[in-house]
Amino acid sequence: MRLAFSLHLKHLFSLILLVFLLLGLPIGAVASQAAGEKRPAGQPPMRFILVHHLLCMEECPGWISAEGRITSDTPAQLRKILKKIGNRKPPIVFRSEGGDVDAAYAMGRMIRKAGLETAVGGTRLKDCPADDLRCDAAIAKDGTALGNTYSDGAYCFSACPLAFAGGTSRVASQWAFIGVHQITTIYNKVRVSYRIEYKIVNGKKKEISRKEVARKSAGQSSSTKLGKKATVALTSYLKEMGVEKDLLDHMMSATPDSIKIVPPAEAIRIGLMTDMLSYSEWPGMPRCAPDAAAEAVCHSRRTVKTPVAEAPVLKAPAQNASGGASESLPKTRPMDFLLMSNGNCLEECRQWISADGDITPDTPAQLEAVLKTLGERKLPIVLQSNGGDMDAAFAMGRIIRAAGLETSIGRTQLPNCPKLDPRCKASIAKSGSTEGEVFAGRAYCLSTCTLVLMSGTPRIVGYSDIGLVRPTTSQYTKFFAYFDEMGVSAETYETMMLATSIEREKLLPSHAFKLGVINGVIPYDEEPGLHVCGPEAKESLRCPRNQKPEITPAALAN
């Protein structure tokens, strides 16, 4: 310490103290990042590549492959490629273990502002080896490449879902993973040295200057406890992106060294995903426009409307429990029920009830007759219908709920039947079950069929179409009373109906999950109704005793 004296005009002595003050100060949250990246040999920083599909360069718009760790520099890199593509709007396909949260916020906002879609998936470039799927040799000088995408094993973890949430459409398949965990805020402690000058005026010290002369690292500290500022930032961001704050609960349920996988059903329910890709769709496909041509390469194609008759065009003869069909093939026909099996029921088979056709006032009685022949056996009911009589649909739903049966959507194909008549009379067994196959693809449950579907416990779907139904003014009371009875959100459904003028239209899976119309997804290697083995089937891997329906992802609570 050095002392210096000087004489002022008022003859007051001032003491100027020159000191070095050592202060231990945390200089903010230097890296507000999602933790869990303990692997020193983790992903390199995220890199963006504009890729065109190998098989459809002209028809496909291409996508931006975004793979790697999100760092503080990543938003700047994203900004460069967005500037490069101009007015084009290719989807962004993420495969990332996460990284910097603040950078993820910035990326999500940039993506939303640019009006881009997002997907979870990996990119495989042309002629790259298996251990380096985005090899430098496959990337042209202008930063573009040829390749394709894949879902199996792709992931978007940690802070990646926050960037993914920026998409106007946010999709993934059942074979990709979205995971979150607690946010860890890392503080870098710095010891700072200052040169401070004081003067003594009337016996009191007064600081007249402060200058930093040195700083030295004093270690780090971290915390998974979200402060008020961090909580506000996160909840505000989720609201901005249309994601429910339930995601925060998922994040806080997983420690920084673990990952909480958010199942597709839950991701759709909370708005993190807007739709699920089918087995024939891949990450990087754009969402279909309402007027998309049949040959357009896109996902989530809208259902083609088909009129639903108030009554069957032709009156079919009454159906017996074995499901005998009409001789003629009108455009619409009353629903019939077939007891179906797949495989040899003396060895190994699965069984289900196929319910196909329009719902008429007689349909509930036919359903009761079929169930009576089965006794205590609880077989899944696989629906395919354009809808029909609303009161009959209510009655069917109550019968199914009382019996505790599973419902799903699927089209049943009998052997040796033409495609235009998949339930031809010649292939229907005269007694017992009819052997055949069932598929989710191109199957549908529209209009009042959804009322029957929502009665299942569980109610699960694959890649099938679900329809809407609008009640008339006189039907409102009993319509929403039925919703409450089935544990489906009537208020949300009514809001959705008021927002549109259509009488019936495709119901997006995201809406179906939010409403509770469905509560599970059929595993990718299964088809509708193939959950219950025949009573005489021998025990095997496909037919374990006391088998329960397998639902992937786990069904949401009603």
Side-chain angles (χ1 to χ4, degrees):
M1 182 180 294
R2 185 181 68 180
L3 301 181
F5 294 88
S6 62
L7 183 63
H8 285 258
L9 294 176
K10 293 184 178 180
H11 307 289
L12 296 176
F13 287 97
S14 299
L15 178 61
I16 300 176
L17 305 178
L18 304 179
V19 300
F20 290 95
L21 182 62
L22 300 180
L23 302 176
L25 299 175
I27 309 301
V30 175
S32 177
Q33 65 182 23
E37 296 157 22
K38 304 175 76 174
R39 296 162 292 189
Q43 287 184 309
M46 183 170 282
R47 183 182 182 186
F48 300 97
I49 304 172
L50 184 59
V51 188
H52 284 87
H53 202 283
L54 283 168
L55 302 180
C56 55
M57 288 184 61
E58 293 183 1
E59 298 88 351
C60 298
W63 66 93
I64 298 172
S65 173
E67 297 194 18
R69 190 177 69 257
I70 298 173
T71 70
S72 58
D73 294 332
T74 307
Q77 299 302 316
L78 176 59
R79 189 175 294 109
K80 287 181 180 179
I81 196 163
L82 294 183
K83 184 177 181 180
K84 180 178 180 178
I85 63 175
N87 294 326
R88 288 180 290 167
K89 295 184 181 296
I92 298 182
V93 180
F94 282 105
R95 179 176 174 272
S96 171
E97 64 183 18
D100 189 292
V101 168
D102 291 331
Y105 290 157
M107 292 171 65
R109 290 186 170 107
M110 290 165 62
I111 292 169
R112 182 62 60 87
K113 184 177 180 180
L116 304 185
E117 302 172 16
T118 55
V120 178
T123 296
R124 182 185 294 106
L125 300 185
K126 182 182 178 182
D127 299 329
C128 283
D131 60 348
D132 186 10
L133 298 181
R134 300 201 320 162
C135 60
D136 290 340
I139 304 172
K141 291 182 179 180
D142 62 356
T144 63
L146 297 178
N148 54 36
T149 59
Y150 60 91
S151 288
D152 193 13
Y155 54 86
C156 181
F157 289 160
S158 190
C160 175
L162 298 176
F164 169 78
T168 55
S169 167
R170 307 176 287 280
V171 298
S173 80
Q174 296 183 64
W175 308 287
F177 302 97
I178 297 178
V180 294
H181 56 188
Q182 294 172 341
I183 292 177
T184 296
T185 303
I186 299 176
Y187 298 94
N188 286 335
K189 293 183 178 180
V190 180
R191 186 172 294 276
V192 183
S193 299
Y194 294 96
R195 183 178 185 272
I196 303 176
E197 291 188 8
Y198 297 96
K199 69 179 179 179
I200 305 298
V201 180
N202 294 331
K204 295 181 179 180
K205 287 196 307 181
K206 182 178 180 181
E207 183 177 321
I208 59 173
S209 69
R210 175 184 294 240
K211 182 179 181 181
E212 181 182 323
V213 294
R215 60 174 53 208
K216 183 178 180 182
S217 175
Q220 289 184 334
S221 65
S222 63
S223 174
T224 58
K225 183 177 180 180
L226 283 180
K228 183 177 180 181
K229 185 176 180 180
T231 301
V232 170
L234 177 56
T235 55
S236 297
Y237 178 80
L238 294 179
K239 183 177 180 180
E240 181 182 345
M241 297 300 152
V243 180
E244 294 185 14
K245 62 181 180 180
D246 290 2
L247 180 63
L248 182 57
D249 295 331
H250 289 292
M251 295 172 70
M252 299 309 294
S253 69
T255 58
D257 58 352
S258 65
I259 285 288
K260 169 67 180 296
I261 299 298
V262 184
E266 175 67 358
I268 289 176
R269 184 188 72 81
I270 64 178
L272 183 57
M273 284 172 53
T274 58
D275 208 348
M276 186 184 303
L277 295 175
S278 74
Y279 67 94
S280 61
E281 298 168 343
W282 63 81
M285 265 189 171
R287 180 175 174 79
C288 293
D291 57 350
E295 65 274 13
V297 180
C298 54
H299 71 82
S300 304
R301 190 177 301 279
R302 293 164 67 97
T303 304
V304 177
K305 295 181 181 179
T306 55
V308 179
E310 293 297 327
V313 174
L314 296 177
K315 186 175 181 181
Q319 306 297 313
N320 56 35
S322 65
S326 170
E327 292 283 354
S328 58
L329 290 173
K331 292 184 178 179
T332 60
R333 58 178 175 77
M335 180 173 284
D336 63 359
F337 299 88
L338 289 178
L339 174 60
M340 299 297 304
S341 64
N342 180 266
N344 181 358
C345 285
L346 294 179
E347 296 292 335
E348 178 180 90
C349 78
R350 305 288 179 97
Q351 293 191 314
W352 70 97
I353 300 169
S354 173
D356 195 298
D358 292 340
I359 300 170
T360 71
D362 295 333
T363 307
Q366 294 180 44
L367 174 60
E368 283 189 315
V370 171
L371 297 182
K372 187 175 181 180
T373 65
L374 298 177
E376 298 298 319
R377 295 175 60 202
K378 295 182 180 294
L379 297 184
I381 295 183
V382 181
L383 298 157
Q384 177 161 270
S385 173
N386 281 319
D389 188 280
M390 182 174 290
D391 289 327
F394 290 153
M396 291 177 67
R398 292 185 174 105
I399 293 170
I400 292 170
R401 178 60 62 90
L405 304 182
E406 171 189 316
T407 57
S408 58
I409 307 173
R411 54 185 179 87
T412 296
Q413 178 72 49
L414 275 59
N416 304 317
C417 285
K419 288 185 178 180
L420 295 179
D421 186 12
R423 297 164 78 87
C424 62
K425 187 175 181 179
S427 293
I428 298 174
K430 293 182 179 179
S431 62
S433 62
T434 295
E435 187 173 352
E437 295 180 283
V438 62
F439 306 96
R442 301 197 307 277
Y444 52 87
C445 181
L446 307 175
S447 188
T448 55
C449 179
T450 58
L451 302 174
V452 181
L453 176 68
M454 68 175 66
S455 67
T457 53
R459 42 199 180 273
I460 58 180
V461 298
Y463 307 113
S464 305
D465 290 334
I466 309 171
L468 297 174
V469 58
R470 178 193 291 276
T472 63
T473 303
S474 62
Q475 294 170 329
Y476 257 70
T477 300
K478 58 184 178 182
F479 186 84
F480 290 120
Y482 177 83
F483 268 49
D484 291 337
E485 185 179 341
M486 296 298 155
V488 178
S489 174
E491 182 179 355
T492 304
Y493 194 88
E494 186 174 20
T495 301
M496 188 187 305
M497 288 291 91
L498 292 174
T500 178
S501 61
I502 57 176
E503 293 301 318
R504 187 193 67 202
E505 184 58 272
K506 180 179 177 182
L507 180 65
L508 295 175
S510 56
H511 292 159
F513 279 116
K514 288 181 179 180
L515 293 170
V517 171
I518 59 177
N519 62 4
V521 177
I522 297 171
Y524 72 93
D525 57 346
E526 292 272 1
E527 292 289 358
L530 299 183
H531 296 296
V532 181
C533 294
E536 305 300 325
K538 295 180 180 180
E539 184 173 7
S540 68
L541 290 176
R542 289 185 64 202
C543 293
R545 292 304 174 206
N546 302 317
Q547 183 179 4
K548 297 180 179 180
E550 298 173 2
I551 304 175
T552 302
L556 304 176
N558 290 345

